[in-house]
Amino acid sequence: MMSSLGQEAGASGHADAAMLVDILDQVLRNAENPGQASREITSALRDLAGARTALLVQCLHEEGGGAHKIVAASPNRRRASIESADVERLARIAHDLVEPTLWKLDKKQGEVQQILARLGAENSIATPLTIGKREVGCLILFGIPGPD
């Protein structure tokens, strides 16, 4: 017999699976239009995580200069306010990550925490994006709900 907590977790698991299938459907429907696909994926992941803002950032190392470009932002209206040297620095820091990493504002005020404070984002998740060993970008979800 499953407890009510287990039933809630089961229902949540089904909802999460349905949302992931929806994301895959969007990717396949927009396969011929990478720009639209990136916007759809960014928006869907923002919704799934409950983040305030989601950014998909492309690494331009192969184009020279080692810069990054925001490919998609959700919601798009936040793009102008978040497009900054701070996002560039966070994208560079994300290159050192090997897995999705939770960045939190806490008493330990490192560089990431200082940037998050300037951006007004508390809990955030950074996910490095790679193809093989090549870094192609990162996904940053700003302002995700805390565990409380």
Side-chain angles (χ1 to χ4, degrees), residues 113-126:
Q113 288 75 20
Q114 291 172 5
I115 293 171
L116 293 177
R118 281 194 299 273
L119 295 174
E122 293 189 10
N123 295 328
S124 299
I125 295 176

Side-chain angles (χ1 to χ4, degrees), residues 2 21 24 29 39 63 91 93 96 101 118 120 123 138:
M2 197 180 307
V21 168
L24 290 174
R29 279 189 285 120
R39 288 186 293 276
E63 297 177 22
I93 292 168
D96 293 331
T101 301
R118 281 194 299 273
N123 295 328
C138 63

